[in-house]
Structures are given as structure tokens and as C-alpha cells.
Amino acid sequence: MKYNVIIIVLLLLIVSTQTSDATSDGTIPFDCPDIPNAKFQFHFTRELITLAAPTAPFNTVDDLYIQAYDDESGIYDTLVQYYSENLKAKNWKGIQENNKVRLYVLNGAALEGTSEDNTFTGIFAVVRGDAEVYLLNIVGSVPAEQAGQLLTNLSKLGLEIPELELPPALDADKQPASLRTTVTFRLPLPFGRFNKQPASAPTRFRTADGSQIHEVQIQGNHTIDRSEILETLETGDEDIEKAVGTLRKKMGAKLEAVESSIKEKDGKHIAVITVKERASSRSSGSFTMNPMIRFNRVTGWKLGTTVQRDLARARFLNGMPTSHIFGYAGYGFGNKITDVEIGIDTMPFATYTQFNNLERDADRWYHGFGINAKVHRATDITPDNVIPYRVSNSLNDPGALFFNLFGAENLHNYYFKTGVEVAFRWEKLPRVASIPARHLLKLTLLAENHESLKKSTDWHLFNWRSTSKARENPAITSGRMRSVMFEYDFNTRRNYLGWHNTFLLEHSRTVFGSDFDFTRYQLHLRYAHPLGKHRIRTRAIGSFSTASLPIQRQFTIGGPGVLNGYPLYAFAGDRGYLFNVEYFYPLPELFFWRNTQSDFDSNLFLVLFLDAGQTWNLTDETHTLVPKSDAGIGFQFGESDSFLRFNVAKAFESKQGVQFNVLWFHSF
């Protein structure tokens, strides 16, 4: 198969995401000596400005720089003296000078010694706020008649500097009345630490003595959204100190330190939470390379590496990259096969939308169109995506290494695929990184060759001489797979509660050059509902096909997290359904647990579950609705999408014995 077109597409995508830096004489470095370090700084590039405000006058701005300092004694006067002298020496004109604001502009034509025109190539301001002093530098080609409108409407970029008013020198009287107002920029999270939280009803939190907390203030966050911190805090106890402890545990990977205090104002209690973020490893244009060690019965020991490079300046407003190149290479010493994968994940078109409630990130979204493209020859796993311990790439699953190395039942079946995959997607993404995309539409074009793989080893740590035999690796239906897949994913999960539904359609035809001719549909419904501190999780799946499916596309059920009372992959077919109901009872609620003290109390659950499912093939002569079903009890540590679970289950069929299992799950 020829990959020329795909390679050209990849190169075009890579080139399209790179942008050249524009230079302008309107740039003034923030280099004032003998002052403390800035407590906050950010650079709005042309790309970021276009995402937030693509229309005039913002389309005249190339760069916007901002720094903020604590308003210590004399710092405003020091900054004013330093920059006033420097700016006026470079032909900048002061148009507003008072004890709160110093505003300067640079006329582009004046630099060339000609008569002045009506365009500013630079705008610079020193502003004293209630508690901070700001430096603002705008670079571009801003028409003078639009400069006042630009300063007045900076809220579209999220900045909040109430002290910066529309300067009379910019012909405020000629501006529309709707523009002659105080600039009230609301800095979009993660820069929300300058936001003034409006008065609101008391929170659910209380102090240790039972007093009501009326407001929670977050300080110190630079890149982490305020609402992400608050949402994590909401998962904790009503006691604010215990809730802060929960925040430390759940966000420890992102927060180096968390401190809290209570202050009173106007008879109300305010909780002030100060965080210190860990240094981010994903700077603009960052490159990462990670070694990989894996082991399973098919590849044997496998050594490899993964690489990823974020494309410089291709980033969202919250700092996360929108595009990156990735790759993988690994060699299996058992089956002597080299796996290789290279591709790009890019979102070249993204817009930012905010709705009425500016204080809630639930109303702040990115709407993005993205492209994924990759070329690969790799080992993959066959069970359908209903299996809770399936990951998108089994080679990146360290849990599989642990189970395989210690001789536990191997959870995966393997096959080999070679080909190209190109996917076009549209996503509605929240600003909070920990919250999944609300909507995802994805169209995938697939051209692959599939081959069976055989077991290459029986060895594990407790089977040095390979006397006991590992489970054989089942054969697949080998051949050329040419298909089109459509997927719609709807996810309202917050704190692991809510809906997560997926509809999948795959169509393969021989006219595409495929060896398979089928259309399959799958609807996967999941809902998690709170009952106080208790939880109910439910799932329903229906899978349907118009023709017989290759083995690697069959609907497969059985084993832990699916049909707990039956062996792994007990049933497979062209069509089928599955139902799961789980009831979570927090162990601290049990009478014999209440007096214990443990940091893990909120993450321990007793789980009661009921499962039912069935599969069948189109070639079956008769079909009756006789589901396989079971019930059981489990013990779970953790509430996230990955947790440790121990189950005891019994099928309702008398010939099936009791099933015991313990492993890491990925929640449905």
C-alpha cells in the first residue's frame, strides 16, 4: 500500500501549525531593575488572541504582554519613573498620567520621520490596582480611533483591571456610549486569581467549630483553573480543613503545597486557600522520551520507547498544547517482531466560547476541529471496548506487565496490524483539564492488514522452567480491513458521576478493497448516580451487526468487570447485549468502621453487583433470549476511573463455580 498521500498530509499538518514570530518596534521589555519578581506574567500571542477575539480591533494586535506585582511601597513610582524616561526617549507619547494610570502610545509613521498617521504600533500602561501593580504592553498596528475600544473591551481576553479607564485622549466622546465604561476584564481561568469573587450564598463548608463558610478564595494558582481546585475541594468533607486534606491528596501531582486560613469580613467567614503549583514539564515546544519495558506470553520481553513533541505556539489559552507529534518503537524478544508507530494529533481550528456565568468553568468551552493521523505496524488487543481493563494501547499499560510477570491470568488476546489510520474529530472541551470533553464526533478512515499471533513463551517469575502452560493466544480472522468508523461520545461526568454514552458505527465493504463486508452498531450507555455518600453505577450495551464479523470485531463478554461470575472472554458473537448494576456502600458508614481513623476512608467501598449479558452469531439456527447472569460482592479501593477491586461472584447457572478475582479496573 502506498503511503505517499498520508506522508504529505502529515507534513502539511506539521508545517501548518508552525508560525513565525512577528517583530515590532512597539515591544518594550519588562526589565525594570531593583524591583521584586513579578507574581504573574503572561504573553498573549496572535494565535491566542485570534481564538478569543478574532474581530476588530483585536485583529490589529500581534502580541499582548502583561505582568503583575504586589503593590509594595514605592513599586508603582519606581516603574513609572523607569518606563516614563525610557518610553519618552524612544518617541512614545504620554496620553494619560495620574497617580493610578500612566498610558503611552507609539505612532508608527512618526518612527519613519514622516507626518503622523492614525496608527499605533505600541501601547504601554502602568496601572496601580487595589492590591497589584500591572504592566501592559500591546504590540501591533492599532488604528487610533480603535485604541479606546481595544482597551475598553479587553474583557474578551479575560483581563480585569478596573482602574484602567477609557482615556480622554483617545476621543472617548466619539466612542459609542456602550464603550465609554470602566474596563472590567475578567481574567479567564487559569489566570483567575485576580478575579474578584462576587458575594454569594454561604457555601456548604464549615469551620471546625461549626461556623458557616460564606466564601472560598483561591490564591497562588497560575496554570490550574480555579474551578478545578474548587471542584476537587467539593469532593471532600463539609469540614473545610478535611476538605483541604482531600485537595492535597487528589491534586498532589499538580500542587506542591496547599495552605488554608480563615478570615472574617463584615461578620462572614472566608476560607483562603493558597496553593503552590508544581513545575510543569510541558512547556511550549517540549519534547519527551520515555523508555518502555513490557512482558506478555505473545511478545515475551519487549523493550521500546515512546516520544512526543508538542508543537511550539500551538496551545490553548489554558496553556495546554493543541498539537503534537508522537511515535513509538519496540522490539519483542519472544516473537522477534518490531513495532513502529508515528503520527500527529493536531487541532488547527479551535474557538473559545463563554456563556453567561463567568464564574463557572462549566460555561467555558473550546470548540475544536482536530485531525489524528498515524502509520503503524503494531501489536494490538482484540476484545471490544467494553472490557474495563482494556487500554487504547496495551503496550502502555504497566498493570499488564505486573499481572503477566507474576503469572496471573493474562487479560489480553493479541493480534498484529499494519496500516494507516486518519481520523477527523470535533470536540467540545472544557477549560478544566480533569473534566472530559462533553461532546466528541469522530470519523475514522482505516486501512490495515490483520494477522494472527502465536504464544511465544510460558515463562513467568513463578514458572522459571516453563513447566506450566500459559493460555494460548486465540487466532483472529486474518485479512485486509478497510473500514469507515463513526463515533459520538457524550460525557457529563463530574467527580466520576453523571452520564457517559457512546455510539459507534463501523462499515467495511469489499468495494473498499476489504476482505470483510459488514456494518456493526454499538450503543454503550453508562450512568453513575449519587445517593448521599453512596453510589449507584449502571451500564447497558447493545451490539448489532448486519453480517458475520471477523473475530477481532466480535462483541465479547465475560470475566471481571463484565460478567463477573464467568471466566474471561467466555462468550463472543456477532450480536449481543450486556447489563451491569453496582451499588457502592462507603465502608466508613459501617458500624464497625466508624471509630477508625484512616486517610483512605473516603476511598473504601463495599460493592454489591448484578450482571447479565448474552451473545450470538448470525449463523445460529435458533436464538432465544436467555441471558447469562450473576451476582456478587466486592471490595474497592479508589473512586477514580482506575481503582483496585476484589470480587467474589457466582453465576446463576449451577454448573458454574464461584469466581474470585483481584485486579486494577478501569471504570465503566
Side-chain angles (χ1 to χ4, degrees), residues 18 89 172 174 245 262 372 460 660:
Q18 305 294 328
K174 297 181 181 179
I262 306 295
N372 306 79
H460 57 77
F660 299 88

Side-chain angles (χ1 to χ4, degrees), residues 161-225:
I161 310 177
E163 295 75 17
L164 185 62
E165 297 182 351
L166 190 64
L170 295 182
D171 297 326
D173 292 336
K174 297 181 181 179
Q175 301 289 347
S178 61
L179 298 181
R180 297 197 298 271
T181 59
T182 299
V183 177
T184 54
F185 285 57
R186 196 162 298 279
L187 213 76
L189 300 174
F191 318 115
R193 62 196 187 92
F194 295 126
N195 290 359
K196 304 298 186 291
Q197 185 173 357
S200 59
T203 70
R204 72 176 186 89
F205 298 111
R206 298 180 180 275
T207 62
D209 61 6
S211 300
Q212 188 79 49
I213 300 292
H214 289 79
E215 182 180 337
V216 177
Q217 295 180 356
I218 307 297
Q219 298 179 354
N221 58 311
H222 299 275
T223 61
I224 300 175
D225 287 348

Side-chain angles (χ1 to χ4, degrees), residues 145-322:
E145 64 272 14
Q146 295 183 13
Q149 182 183 358
L150 174 64
L151 292 174
T152 305
N153 287 275
L154 283 175
S155 56
K156 292 184 178 180
L157 300 183
L159 296 172
E160 182 178 344
I161 310 177
E163 295 75 17
L164 185 62
E165 297 182 351
L166 190 64
L170 295 182
D171 297 326
D173 292 336
K174 297 181 181 179
Q175 301 289 347
S178 61
L179 298 181
R180 297 197 298 271
T181 59
T182 299
V183 177
T184 54
F185 285 57
R186 196 162 298 279
L187 213 76
L189 300 174
F191 318 115
R193 62 196 187 92
F194 295 126
N195 290 359
K196 304 298 186 291
Q197 185 173 357
S200 59
T203 70
R204 72 176 186 89
F205 298 111
R206 298 180 180 275
T207 62
D209 61 6
S211 300
Q212 188 79 49
I213 300 292
H214 289 79
E215 182 180 337
V216 177
Q217 295 180 356
I218 307 297
Q219 298 179 354
N221 58 311
H222 299 275
T223 61
I224 300 175
D225 287 348
R226 173 178 176 271
S227 66
E228 182 176 1
I229 297 174
L230 289 176
E231 287 183 359
T232 306
L233 197 70
E234 285 288 339
T235 65
D237 196 87
E238 291 183 358
D239 186 314
I240 188 65
E241 289 303 320
K242 292 183 179 179
V244 170
T246 300
L247 178 65
R248 289 192 186 99
K249 290 189 293 185
K250 292 192 173 184
M251 296 193 67
K254 296 182 178 181
L255 300 178
E256 182 177 334
V258 180
E259 302 295 335
S260 64
S261 62
I262 306 295
K263 65 179 182 180
E264 289 191 35
K265 183 178 181 181
D266 299 329
K268 297 181 179 180
H269 291 84
I270 300 174
V272 180
I273 299 176
T274 304
V275 301
K276 181 179 180 182
E277 299 176 352
R278 295 188 185 275
S280 174
S281 62
R282 299 193 71 178
S283 59
S284 179
S286 65
F287 175 82
T288 58
M289 175 181 291
N290 296 307
M292 180 180 294
I293 302 176
R294 297 292 179 259
F295 174 79
N296 61 67
R297 71 190 191 281
V298 173
T299 65
W301 285 102
K302 173 171 281 192
L303 300 181
T305 183
T306 62
V307 296
Q308 178 171 306
R309 180 176 180 83
D310 297 334
L311 300 183
R313 302 194 67 178
R315 310 180 77 80
F316 288 119
L317 288 179
N318 63 1
M320 292 300 295
T322 64

